[in-house]
Amino acid sequence: MSPGRAARRLGSGLGAGSGGSARVPPGNARRRATLRRGWGPPPHQGQLKKLNRGCPWTAGRLTEQTEPHTISTAASAELEGTPIHVQKQWFKETFTYLFAISQSAEASEAGIHLVSGWQVFKNTPKEELPFWSDVVLGFRPMSKAELQKFPQHQFGQAFTTLKCDCPPYLLWLEKRLKATGVQMYTRKVADLWELHSEYNVVVNCAGIGAHQLVGDKELFPVRGQVLKVHAPWVKNFIRNGDGLTYIYPGIHRVTLGGTREVESWSLSPDPGTIKDIFDRCCSLEPSLRRAQDIKVKVGLRPSRWCVRLEREVLSQGGVKLPVVHNYGHGAGGFSVHRGTAKEAACLVGECIAALQVSSSKAKL
């Protein structure tokens, strides 16, 4: 996870949904649905199992273009509108969780690994110690000798963090969920109210899709374009302090970025941008001129003035449907996803508790 302001996290899924059908789980068990686009994971399964043991958790997915189109460069960005102490808690919970995976036998399958590197600045930043500096490993100012590698920069920070290759991570998460009895469905949902007769609680992790799904006009896309190249000799990440230029070595390929285009919905690669990204990254690491097999990825960051993480109760004709919203993480989604998922799970628990109270009163 390469922290810093406005670093890259591309995509939260890229489509509005695909056709399909879902069956209603049998019996009187409580049913909870998570709607998500792209890579945003459902609420923490461990928390959910504790909420109501013995009840099936049914996850519905809205997906028109699936995980390979989703990009995560394991980056942290400040989430506007969210207090720093809250962001730090989410970030710390996520880092601790991912670090444990990186040290396990499942690290390779999950696509999580440690990576060391540098964040460099042309001028000394006002904030020399970002809020995440005591969470990542070995954070320190760069030495003069290290800065000689970057003659256009006057200040830098060195640290070790975590990198996630998103497609294998998603597959690993789904495998774990299915092993606990979670059911995955693919279907198109145009309105959350469509689910009121099938599910007791709905969790909305639709990312940029929430713009249409729940009519959130405060949600907007920030387009990002990156390159994936074969350059196995690149072992360290390098990130410009402005967050626009970065080099992140992954398990199989190196990610070069990037762009930040507000209110752009285009998913088509821009040829001029490809050259611009490549030239900028080569200015930081000249050996990248030898990189081969260049592939282009485009994604949309689901951005808004603050993360929407809250409960809402939809109601029509006296019928109620509890909803938990968890979207709008912008460029910082991967870095805080575990922390926000745990908080969403707690909100689901509140919804279940309210349903149980309502059910008890009805029986009286």
Side-chain angles (χ1 to χ4, degrees):
M1 186 172 316
S2 304
R5 184 171 181 79
R8 312 296 81 196
R9 188 271 191 184
L10 313 186
S12 248
L14 307 175
S18 62
S21 63
R23 65 180 180 83
V24 180
N28 296 319
R30 294 189 181 278
R31 299 176 293 276
R32 305 179 287 275
T34 296
L35 305 182
R36 70 180 181 89
R37 294 178 81 182
W39 91 266
H44 172 20
Q45 66 268 29
Q47 291 288 108
L48 291 168
K49 286 173 69 178
K50 293 176 183 177
L51 295 176
N52 204 354
R53 295 184 184 277
C55 293
W57 166 264
T58 304
R61 291 175 54 195
L62 288 91
T63 172
E64 184 174 70
Q65 296 180 8
T66 52
E67 282 68 46
H69 297 269
T70 303
I71 305 166
S72 173
T73 55
S76 173
E78 287 189 20
L79 304 172
E80 294 188 16
T82 303
I84 291 296
H85 74 277
V86 175
Q87 294 185 50
K88 184 171 183 177
Q89 180 62 31
W90 290 344
F91 180 78
K92 186 175 181 179
E93 289 177 347
T94 303
F95 192 95
T96 300
Y97 170 68
L98 293 174
F99 179 78
I101 297 173
S102 75
Q103 301 301 295
S104 75
E106 297 183 78
S108 179
E109 182 184 358
I112 306 292
H113 65 101
L114 288 167
V115 60
S116 298
W118 309 280
Q119 179 167 251
V120 294
F121 300 80
K122 292 186 176 180
N123 297 294
T124 302
K126 293 181 180 179
E127 185 183 52
E128 294 186 30
L129 286 176
F131 73 84
W132 43 262
S133 61
D134 61 347
V135 179
V136 297
L137 308 178
F139 182 94
R140 59 176 176 78
M142 289 173 63
S143 67
K144 290 183 178 180
E146 289 173 313
L147 280 170
Q148 288 180 1
K149 179 178 171 65
F150 309 100
Q152 303 301 315
H153 298 77
Q154 299 180 3
F155 180 83
Q157 300 156 337
F159 53 93
T160 297
T161 184
L162 290 156
K163 174 72 170 65
C164 171
D165 285 352
C166 198
Y169 181 58
L170 283 170
L171 292 173
W172 180 80
L173 284 175
E174 290 195 2
K175 179 181 175 181
R176 285 171 58 85
L177 287 168
K178 289 177 180 177
T180 64
V182 172
Q183 301 169 43
M184 300 282 183
Y185 301 116
T186 299
R187 61 180 290 182
K188 182 174 181 178
V189 177
D191 189 302
L192 293 181
W193 190 252
E194 293 177 22
L195 305 172
H196 80 276
S197 62
E198 302 174 57
Y199 299 100
N200 301 93
V201 180
V202 172
V203 184
N204 172 23
C205 304
I208 196 65
H211 185 273
Q212 181 175 356
L213 180 64
V214 296
D216 189 343
K217 303 307 180 185
E218 296 179 344
L219 186 69
F220 58 93
V222 177
R223 181 184 181 275
Q225 181 169 311
V226 301
L227 311 180
K228 297 281 188 174
V229 305
H230 181 70
W233 61 88
V234 177
K235 303 297 184 183
N236 299 103
F237 74 81
I238 306 171
R239 181 180 180 277
N240 199 313
D242 64 8
L244 280 177
T245 304
Y246 48 86
I247 301 164
Y248 291 123
I251 295 175
H252 301 295
R253 304 181 71 82
V254 179
T255 300
L256 311 182
T259 65
R260 189 188 305 135
E261 302 166 59
V262 178
E263 296 284 2
S264 174
W265 290 89
S266 173
L267 295 173
S268 299
D270 179 80
T273 301
I274 294 172
K275 182 179 186 304
D276 177 60
I277 291 172
F278 191 71
D279 289 344
R280 282 189 278 125
C281 289
C282 286
S283 71
L284 290 176
E285 180 52 71
S287 71
L288 284 170
R289 291 287 178 191
R290 296 185 281 120
Q292 298 179 336
D293 192 20
I294 299 174
K295 299 183 184 299
V296 186
K297 300 287 185 179
V298 178
L300 305 178
R301 307 175 186 90
S303 303
R304 66 195 307 274
W305 69 276
C306 73
V307 175
R308 189 178 186 191
L309 183 51
E310 63 181 2
R311 289 171 58 189
E312 180 183 17
V313 178
L314 305 182
S315 179
Q316 291 188 25
V319 179
K320 296 182 179 181
L321 176 65
V323 176
V324 173
H325 298 285
N326 182 21
Y327 65 86
H329 298 69
F334 173 73
S335 299
V336 299
H337 75 277
R338 174 74 170 192
T340 56
K342 287 180 69 175
E343 190 163 325
C346 290
L347 294 177
V348 171
E350 293 175 8
C351 292
I352 292 173
L355 287 171
Q356 290 172 336
V357 170
S358 177
S359 177
S360 297
K361 289 182 177 179
K363 290 179 180 179
L364 294 175

Short mmCIF file of all heavy atoms in Angstrom, two decimals, residues 16 22 71 97 108 111 113 117 121 124 134 140 143 200 226 276 290 336 347:
data_model
loop_
_atom_site.label_atom_id
_atom_site.label_comp_id
_atom_site.label_asym_id
_atom_site.label_seq_id
_atom_site.Cartn_x
_atom_site.Cartn_y
_atom_site.Cartn_z
N ALA A 16 -22.69 -1.23 -15.38
CA ALA A 16 -23.93 -1.01 -14.66
C ALA A 16 -24.64 -2.28 -14.27
O ALA A 16 -25.59 -2.25 -13.53
CB ALA A 16 -24.86 -0.16 -15.53
N ALA A 22 -31.38 -14.69 -9.86
CA ALA A 22 -30.98 -15.16 -8.54
C ALA A 22 -32.18 -15.82 -7.89
O ALA A 22 -33.30 -15.35 -8.01
CB ALA A 22 -30.51 -13.99 -7.69
N ILE A 71 -8.55 -1.88 -11.55
CA ILE A 71 -7.14 -1.66 -11.28
C ILE A 71 -6.96 -1.18 -9.85
O ILE A 71 -7.64 -0.28 -9.39
CB ILE A 71 -6.56 -0.60 -12.23
CG1 ILE A 71 -6.82 -1.01 -13.69
CG2 ILE A 71 -5.08 -0.39 -11.99
CD1 ILE A 71 -6.58 0.11 -14.66
N TYR A 97 -4.34 -6.26 8.50
CA TYR A 97 -4.96 -7.42 7.88
C TYR A 97 -4.15 -7.92 6.69
O TYR A 97 -3.84 -9.11 6.57
CB TYR A 97 -6.38 -7.05 7.46
CG TYR A 97 -7.09 -8.05 6.59
CD1 TYR A 97 -7.49 -9.28 7.08
CD2 TYR A 97 -7.39 -7.74 5.26
CE1 TYR A 97 -8.16 -10.20 6.27
CE2 TYR A 97 -8.06 -8.64 4.45
CZ TYR A 97 -8.44 -9.87 4.96
OH TYR A 97 -9.09 -10.76 4.15
N SER A 108 0.88 -15.49 -2.11
CA SER A 108 0.99 -15.52 -3.57
C SER A 108 -0.38 -15.66 -4.23
O SER A 108 -0.70 -14.94 -5.19
CB SER A 108 1.90 -16.68 -4.00
OG SER A 108 2.00 -16.74 -5.41
N GLY A 111 -2.23 -12.43 -3.99
CA GLY A 111 -1.65 -11.31 -4.72
C GLY A 111 -1.16 -10.18 -3.84
O GLY A 111 -1.12 -9.02 -4.27
N HIS A 113 1.92 -8.60 -1.41
CA HIS A 113 3.34 -8.73 -1.07
C HIS A 113 3.88 -7.38 -0.57
O HIS A 113 3.33 -6.32 -0.87
CB HIS A 113 4.15 -9.22 -2.27
CG HIS A 113 4.19 -8.25 -3.42
ND1 HIS A 113 5.26 -7.44 -3.66
CD2 HIS A 113 3.28 -7.98 -4.39
CE1 HIS A 113 5.03 -6.69 -4.73
NE2 HIS A 113 3.83 -7.01 -5.19
N GLY A 117 10.35 1.29 -1.21
CA GLY A 117 10.61 2.29 -2.22
C GLY A 117 10.62 3.70 -1.68
O GLY A 117 10.80 3.92 -0.47
N PHE A 121 9.75 14.40 -3.75
CA PHE A 121 9.13 15.71 -3.90
C PHE A 121 10.12 16.70 -4.50
O PHE A 121 11.31 16.71 -4.12
CB PHE A 121 8.67 16.25 -2.54
CG PHE A 121 7.67 15.39 -1.82
CD1 PHE A 121 8.08 14.27 -1.11
CD2 PHE A 121 6.32 15.70 -1.85
CE1 PHE A 121 7.17 13.48 -0.43
CE2 PHE A 121 5.39 14.91 -1.17
CZ PHE A 121 5.82 13.80 -0.46
N THR A 124 10.14 20.51 -0.48
CA THR A 124 9.79 19.91 0.80
C THR A 124 8.31 20.15 1.11
O THR A 124 7.87 21.31 1.10
CB THR A 124 10.65 20.48 1.94
OG1 THR A 124 12.02 20.26 1.63
CG2 THR A 124 10.31 19.81 3.26
N ASP A 134 3.40 6.17 10.74
CA ASP A 134 3.71 5.22 11.82
C ASP A 134 2.95 3.90 11.65
O ASP A 134 2.97 3.05 12.54
CB ASP A 134 3.42 5.81 13.19
CG ASP A 134 1.96 6.21 13.38
OD1 ASP A 134 1.21 6.24 12.37
OD2 ASP A 134 1.55 6.49 14.52
N ARG A 140 11.04 6.79 6.98
CA ARG A 140 12.14 7.70 7.31
C ARG A 140 12.37 8.67 6.16
O ARG A 140 12.00 8.38 5.00
CB ARG A 140 13.43 6.92 7.58
CG ARG A 140 13.89 6.08 6.39
CD ARG A 140 15.21 5.39 6.62
NE ARG A 140 15.56 4.53 5.50
CZ ARG A 140 16.06 4.93 4.33
NH1 ARG A 140 16.28 6.23 4.14
NH2 ARG A 140 16.37 4.07 3.37
N SER A 143 17.95 9.66 2.48
CA SER A 143 19.29 10.21 2.67
C SER A 143 19.71 11.00 1.43
O SER A 143 19.11 10.87 0.35
CB SER A 143 20.28 9.08 2.91
OG SER A 143 20.41 8.28 1.74
N ASN A 200 -33.66 -9.25 3.60
CA ASN A 200 -33.96 -8.48 4.80
C ASN A 200 -33.10 -7.23 4.91
O ASN A 200 -33.53 -6.21 5.46
CB ASN A 200 -33.74 -9.34 6.05
CG ASN A 200 -34.60 -10.58 6.03
OD1 ASN A 200 -34.16 -11.63 5.58
ND2 ASN A 200 -35.83 -10.47 6.50
N VAL A 226 -3.48 3.68 -16.65
CA VAL A 226 -2.16 3.20 -16.26
C VAL A 226 -1.63 2.25 -17.32
O VAL A 226 -2.38 1.77 -18.19
CB VAL A 226 -2.17 2.47 -14.89
CG1 VAL A 226 -2.67 3.39 -13.80
CG2 VAL A 226 -2.99 1.19 -14.95
N ASP A 276 2.69 9.97 -22.57
CA ASP A 276 2.96 10.89 -21.47
C ASP A 276 3.30 10.13 -20.19
O ASP A 276 4.27 10.46 -19.49
CB ASP A 276 1.75 11.79 -21.25
CG ASP A 276 1.93 12.73 -20.07
OD1 ASP A 276 2.88 13.54 -20.08
OD2 ASP A 276 1.14 12.64 -19.11
N ARG A 290 13.58 0.12 -21.40
CA ARG A 290 13.76 -1.24 -21.90
C ARG A 290 12.54 -2.13 -21.63
O ARG A 290 12.54 -3.32 -21.94
CB ARG A 290 14.99 -1.88 -21.24
CG ARG A 290 16.28 -1.18 -21.61
CD ARG A 290 17.49 -1.92 -21.04
NE ARG A 290 17.69 -1.63 -19.63
CZ ARG A 290 17.68 -2.53 -18.65
NH1 ARG A 290 17.43 -3.80 -18.94
NH2 ARG A 290 17.90 -2.19 -17.40
N VAL A 336 -8.14 1.41 2.53
CA VAL A 336 -9.01 1.43 3.71
C VAL A 336 -10.13 0.40 3.61
O VAL A 336 -11.04 0.40 4.44
CB VAL A 336 -9.61 2.84 3.93
CG1 VAL A 336 -8.52 3.87 4.16
CG2 VAL A 336 -10.50 3.26 2.75
N LEU A 347 -22.78 -1.88 10.96
CA LEU A 347 -24.06 -1.26 10.61
C LEU A 347 -25.08 -2.32 10.22
O LEU A 347 -26.27 -2.19 10.53
CB LEU A 347 -23.86 -0.26 9.47
CG LEU A 347 -23.01 0.97 9.80
CD1 LEU A 347 -22.84 1.85 8.56
CD2 LEU A 347 -23.63 1.79 10.93
#
